[in-house]
Amino acid sequence: VTPSPLVAALRDAAGEPHVLVDADVRAPYEIDWTRRWSGSAAAVVRPRTAGEVSAVLRACAEHGAAVIPQGGNTGLVGASVPRSQEPRPQVVLSAARMTTIGEIDRATLQMRAEAGVTLGALQAAARSAGLDAAVDFAARDSATVGGIAACDAGGIRAVRHGTARMRVAGLEAVMADGSVVCRMSGLLKDNAGYDLPALLVGSEGTLGVITSVLWQLVPRRDARALALVPVGSVSDAVALLVAVRQHLPSLDACELMTDEGLALVLEHIGTTSPVRRAAAYVLVECAARADPLEALAAALDAAGVTDAAIADDTAGRERLWQLRERHTEAIGAAGIPHKLDVGVPLDRLAAFCDAVQAALTDGARPILFGHLGDGNLHVNVLGHDAAEESIDELVLRLAAQHGGTISAEHGVGVAKARWLHLSRTREEIAVMRAIKSALDPECVLNPGALLQPRT
Ligand SMILES: Cc1cc2nc3c(=O)[nH]c(=O)nc-3n(C[C@H](O)[C@H](O)[C@H](O)COP(=O)(O)OP(=O)(O)OC[C@H]3O[C@@H](n4cnc5c(N)ncnc54)[C@H](O)[C@@H]3O)c2cc1C
């Protein structure tokens, strides 16, 4: 069969074996992790270098194709797969072959990683050098450095180390016109002009394709202790965080679960709860050079905690962590949920949770969990038609009304683009649109993600 001019140009750009056109082979790249979003691609292309990415983007521009950058395809807002509505042919640009990890600079603790390096591989490389990547979340074995930077991902350790933005010390990206922008000097102080790498972090594949990142590592703190504490309410969970935070400089993670979520996980993995059942649960983890168990126990004691499961060995910690980390999987096994990732100021978090519970009736089953330390809640709603957008709108409006954001760490993507105005002013959105049209005037990159198409 004679390939289409677009496919032929992509083959010239990345090499024939790296342009996938068979429907069966394309299929996993065309549907997202939640199974809520899918679309058809003219091809999936897997370039190896920034130069090949540049050639792919030029080929797509020339042949009027839109480009969907894709890393591990673990994004939860529908922006890593083709759109069902896009009239142009779409090309998935996968970073799967860009997997080189560079040497660590011992003076700066920075390490270069290509966009397709998974978080797990990055963590392993850092660990083997006696250092720590300082970001972690459950999708670590698939999520990539490029996707993490593109989404400004957070995760369980943001309470101590911040989001991906804090880790990106330099970046290389290919812009929509094929030009390569590279700032990898790693200088901590460099304010000569606009900070283009910072602009690309959190841009969700709409401004450029990230090809490499200079990752800021931190010293390793291997001694860990973890407690799972049952609490009477979300309000009590926030009070516990407030009580322990100031006494625990080693606090590394502080997570929230509710009993609905724990029940699903326990059933899914076939185990029983290690603590008494309660309305909510807090996981508190400390990491330090010396064993932080005593400090953790003392802080819990001072906070009036009388009942907790505590672990400071790897197996014990993993057993407790899986109760939190397997939420997404357990919820997915129970149905196709609405997944919302909001941030709410801590002093209004409990009120927000109550408002969500009260507002969702009619068979909807909200499951709330997330990163308590950051006021970041994942609101998952089961038992409702997955296409029902009123659920999303209701939860996002409540987050905004409680002084929060519609996207804490997953990004806006396709899922929430229509509600961006709930979190950003008209003036802010106008600036975003001006940046987008200056850098990508034909809207080649990730159309419909983050900013809705103009009507
Ligand atoms: C079980 C599970 C747990 C999760 N937990 C967390 C969590 O705790 N915290 C958190 O923040 N997220 C979490 N996520 C969401 C997800 O893993 C992150 O958003 C992650 O950053 C996505 O990385 P990825 O490589 O899979 O990107 P993809 O899903 O492939 O893409 C995500 C977005 O980034 C863009 N993109 C991808 N690669 C590039 C690139 N090289 N250049 C430009 N744009 C690119 C895509 O176009 C898309 O808009 C979780 C997901 C799952 C499935």
Side-chain angles (χ1 to χ4, degrees):
V1 186
T2 313
S4 69
L6 171 62
V7 169
L10 293 173
R11 286 178 177 171
D12 286 345
E16 183 167 344
H18 310 302
V19 180
L20 316 177
V21 288
D22 288 350
D24 288 354
V25 186
R26 287 189 338 249
Y29 299 85
E30 294 180 325
I31 182 157
D32 86 324
W33 199 88
T34 68
R35 291 168 285 148
R36 246 185 112 185
W37 309 94
S38 62
S40 178
V44 175
V45 58
R46 299 167 24 124
R48 172 67 199 93
T49 62
E52 289 183 6
V53 172
S54 169
V56 167
L57 288 186
R58 277 187 271 110
C60 289
E62 194 177 322
H63 293 276
V67 175
I68 315 295
Q70 190 181 93
N73 198 12
T74 65
L76 300 172
V77 287
S80 51
V81 293
R83 316 284 113 88
S84 53
Q85 306 284 337
E86 173 61 38
R88 291 172 290 180
Q90 298 173 76
V91 171
V92 172
L93 194 164
S94 165
R97 292 178 60 239
M98 293 188 263
T99 53
T100 303
I101 297 182
E103 294 287 303
I104 292 173
D105 181 331
R106 290 283 172 182
T108 59
L109 304 190
Q110 292 166 354
M111 179 169 73
R112 187 177 174 131
E114 287 184 336
V117 170
T118 63
L119 176 57
L122 187 84
Q123 291 171 336
R127 238 188 339 264
S128 66
L131 296 165
D132 178 4
V135 167
D136 194 23
F137 53 88
R140 62 183 74 81
D141 292 330
S142 305
T144 62
V145 166
I148 289 168
C151 296
D152 187 19
I156 52 190
R157 302 181 64 202
V159 67
R160 184 178 208 165
H161 298 288
T163 62
R165 189 175 291 287
M166 303 290 291
R167 301 292 115 221
V168 178
L171 186 143
E172 177 191 77
V174 183
M175 310 308 283
D177 64 359
S179 58
V180 180
V181 174
C182 182
R183 210 171 89 208
M184 297 291 259
S185 68
L187 288 171
L188 179 65
K189 292 182 174 170
D190 179 2
N191 58 10
Y194 300 143
D195 190 351
L196 298 178
L199 184 63
L200 283 153
V201 174
S203 65
E204 299 186 48
T206 63
L207 298 181
V209 177
I210 296 166
T211 46
S212 278
V213 171
L214 193 62
W215 196 266
Q216 183 67 57
L217 306 167
V218 298
R220 213 162 109 178
R221 300 174 180 97
D222 277 341
R224 290 182 169 268
L226 174 65
L228 174 66
V229 186
V231 290
S233 63
V234 172
S235 213
D236 290 351
V238 174
L240 176 62
L241 166 67
V242 172
V244 299
R245 195 171 216 170
Q246 60 182 322
H247 301 297
L248 280 177
S250 58
L251 183 68
D252 209 66
C254 187
E255 299 284 305
L256 175 73
M257 301 179 278
T258 58
D259 199 47
E260 292 80 6
L262 183 72
L264 270 183
V265 174
L266 294 175
E267 192 187 324
H268 181 66
I269 61 180
T271 187
T272 53
S273 173
V275 289
R276 73 176 159 84
R277 299 295 284 274
Y281 308 85
V282 181
L283 271 169
V284 183
E285 185 164 64
C286 295
R289 286 206 175 273
D291 191 351
L293 184 62
E294 240 175 68
L296 175 60
L300 293 177
D301 207 31
V305 172
T306 52
D307 179 12
I310 295 189
D312 66 346
D313 62 306
T314 304
R317 286 192 306 105
E318 278 173 4
R319 262 196 304 278
L320 294 182
W321 263 119
Q322 70 167 342
L323 301 176
R324 163 64 183 86
E325 293 213 314
R326 296 187 71 178
H327 262 64
T328 305
E329 176 191 327
I331 293 166
I336 299 183
H338 286 250
K339 286 189 154 307
L340 298 153
D341 157 53
V342 301
V344 180
L346 281 170
D347 58 355
R348 301 184 72 185
L349 196 71
F352 168 75
C353 293
D354 290 346
V356 169
Q357 300 279 3
L360 289 176
T361 49
D362 211 11
R365 190 173 157 207
I367 293 149
L368 309 174
F369 63 97
H371 311 298
L372 178 63
D374 321 318
N376 175 191
L377 270 191
H378 300 318
V379 179
N380 284 231
V381 184
L382 280 169
H384 229 267
D385 179 357
E388 173 75 78
E389 280 173 357
S390 58
I391 294 265
D392 296 12
E393 173 148 355
L394 192 148
V395 174
L396 298 179
R397 280 194 185 281
L398 284 174
Q401 281 161 15
H402 286 79
T405 172
I406 64 163
S407 174
E409 60 173 13
H410 292 168
V412 173
V414 173
K416 294 189 258 186
R418 82 197 53 187
W419 295 295
L420 185 60
H421 65 277
L422 293 175
S423 277
R424 294 285 181 260
T425 62
R426 189 196 306 231
E427 292 76 11
E428 284 177 290
I429 293 173
V431 172
M432 290 187 200
R433 284 198 185 278
I435 293 170
K436 171 72 175 169
S437 46
L439 296 181
D440 182 13
E442 302 301 326
C443 197
V444 168
L445 289 169
N446 230 355
L450 183 54
L451 294 167
Q452 272 198 294
R454 286 186 199 275
T455 46

